[in-house]
Structure formats: structure tokens, C-alpha cells
Amino acid sequence: MILLKSEREIQSMREAGRIVALALDAVGKVVEPGIATQELDEIARKIITEHGAKPAFKGLYGFPANICVSVNCEVVHGIPGSRKLAEGDIVSVDCGAEIEGFCGDSAMTFPVGRVSPENARLIHETRSTLFKGIEKATVGNRLGAISYAIQSYAEKAGFRVVREYVGHGIGRSMHEDPEVPNYGFPDRGPVLKAGMVLAIEPMINLGTQAVKTTGDGWTVVTLDGKPSAHFEHTVAILPDGPEILTRLA
Ligand code: MG
Ligand code: MG
């Protein structure tokens, strides 16, 4: 069942989204060669708690950290730790916060120092892919319009779309109905209504779309070891168009 949010509830989600955006902004500013991924986790935790919110991923399904940090061939759900980022890496940071009983969810991929042209293009195009999807998050469209826009843009750019992990509705829970796949057909899925809030999150691979989970039970990696990028925003569908809740004004 897709829960529609009232204007008052969306106001709380704006606050959750703003805090997630502040945390990701702070993390992005310190991404550089030599920093350990657990330092990124600590910065995000500090920003989120200083604003009176709760890191929403901590303990979610048993996840052991505050944010997910996924490096290079790691697609999503990487666990922050002592690993230090190196020049040329790309690092995806996925962050969630909860305040006033509502959640925000956003992810970005950052370059570490100077990266290869193909990694730079993967990051740039994955971000563009997300915005192609967001453009279709309008009242009266079907959900599949978002999925189709993401898949067709990413594949035209020469990349592959991860199938096993998808976007989702979001509200009082981090993961609500509906699922928001990053592939599909524009005339499928539920009709989008004002008050729906979706986390749209393409995971885009340079090589094969196939992924697997590693031995830690969390970290998802590409099967061919090639890099993957991930961008996500929490988006409210409003009568006059989509509003990105996880963006700094
Ligand atoms: Mg996320
Ligand atoms: Mg999400």
C-alpha cells in the first residue's frame, strides 16, 4: 500500500532531508586520499545527531554503521571501517536520518583526488541519470516512467543498471511501498499521485550489471570487479512537480 503524505508530514520530511543533505555535504568536503571510511561515518553521525536527528541506517535490518560507504566495485551497503581511501578511488556514501518520526535518504558518489576519465564520466552520468528519473516524478505519470527514463539514459551512455536493488517509497519507515526499479516500461506501475514520496536511486555499473554480496553479508560488489556509482534523492511528488527533499536550498 502506498501511503500519501500530508503537507504537514512532508514538512517533517523536508527537515529529515535537509539534515541528510547537510551530512552528505560535510562528508563530501573531507573525501580525500588517506581518510578512513570510518572517519566519514563519524562525521555523518555527528552532523545528524547535532541536528536532533537519528542516523536511520544504524541497526536497520542489523546494519552495524551510521552510513554505507562503498568504494570502487562496491555497489551499495559497504560497511565503514579502517580502509583508507586512495587517489583515484570513487566512493559512494549513502546516508539516512530520522526526525519527527520521518526519514530522509540520499546517496552520492565522490571522486577521491584525481580519477580516471571513465570513472569521472561514470559519476557524472549516474548523477544525470538520477535527474532524468526525478523529472518524470510528476502527478499522472506511471511509476514506470521514472524507471524507463533512468534505464534508457544510463544504457545510452554505455553503462549498465543494477537490477537486484531498487528505490522505494519512504516516510515513517525508511523503506515503504512502492519499489522504484531503475529499469522498466513507462506505461507500467502505479499512477503517481500528489503526496507520494519516493527515494529514487540508480546504481550504475561501468561493466556488467551483475552483482553479488560479499562474505561480510552486507557489501554488494560488481561481479566483474569494475566500478559502480550511486546517486539518490528523496523526492516528494507535489501538484506542481517533484520537490527534492534531500538537497540544500
Ligand atoms: Mg539510501
Ligand atoms: Mg534508499
Side-chain angles (χ1 to χ4, degrees), residues 62-84:
F63 189 72
N66 298 290
I67 57 174
C68 303
V69 181
S70 308
V71 184
N72 296 335
C73 70
E74 297 173 355
V75 180
V76 286
H77 305 164
I79 303 170
S82 57
R83 177 182 186 164
K84 287 189 160 95

Side-chain angles (χ1 to χ4, degrees), residues 133-156:
I134 291 172
E135 275 175 21
K136 299 293 180 188
T138 57
V139 173
N141 267 353
R142 286 190 183 270
L143 182 72
I146 299 172
S147 309
Y148 177 78
I150 288 171
Q151 181 184 8
S152 50
Y153 185 88
E155 291 183 350
K156 238 173 259 166

Side-chain angles (χ1 to χ4, degrees), residues 162-175:
V162 172
R163 301 295 202 275
E164 285 86 344
Y165 300 88
V166 296
H168 48 93
I170 178 169
R172 287 192 181 276
S173 298
M174 179 59 70
H175 298 124

Side-chain angles (χ1 to χ4, degrees), residues 117-130:
E118 70 180 3
N119 274 347
R121 198 172 82 82
L122 177 66
I123 291 174
H124 177 81
E125 295 290 15
T126 302
R127 186 176 180 282
S128 299
T129 297
L130 168 59

Side-chain angles (χ1 to χ4, degrees), residues 16-102:
R18 187 180 74 88
I19 294 166
V20 169
L22 286 170
L24 276 177
D25 184 59
V27 167
K29 282 181 174 139
V30 300
V31 165
E32 59 175 12
I35 193 163
T37 57
Q38 64 198 9
E39 295 178 73
L40 306 181
D41 185 84
E42 176 53 22
I43 287 162
R45 186 201 64 76
K46 193 161 174 285
I47 300 280
I48 291 167
T49 54
E50 274 175 2
H51 286 83
K54 208 175 81 178
F57 293 167
K58 181 93 189 217
L60 185 66
Y61 314 117
F63 189 72
N66 298 290
I67 57 174
C68 303
V69 181
S70 308
V71 184
N72 296 335
C73 70
E74 297 173 355
V75 180
V76 286
H77 305 164
I79 303 170
S82 57
R83 177 182 186 164
K84 287 189 160 95
L85 297 178
E87 180 93 20
D89 284 347
I90 63 172
V91 60
S92 301
V93 178
D94 195 346
C95 182
E98 185 190 332
I99 194 165
E100 298 168 11
F102 286 90

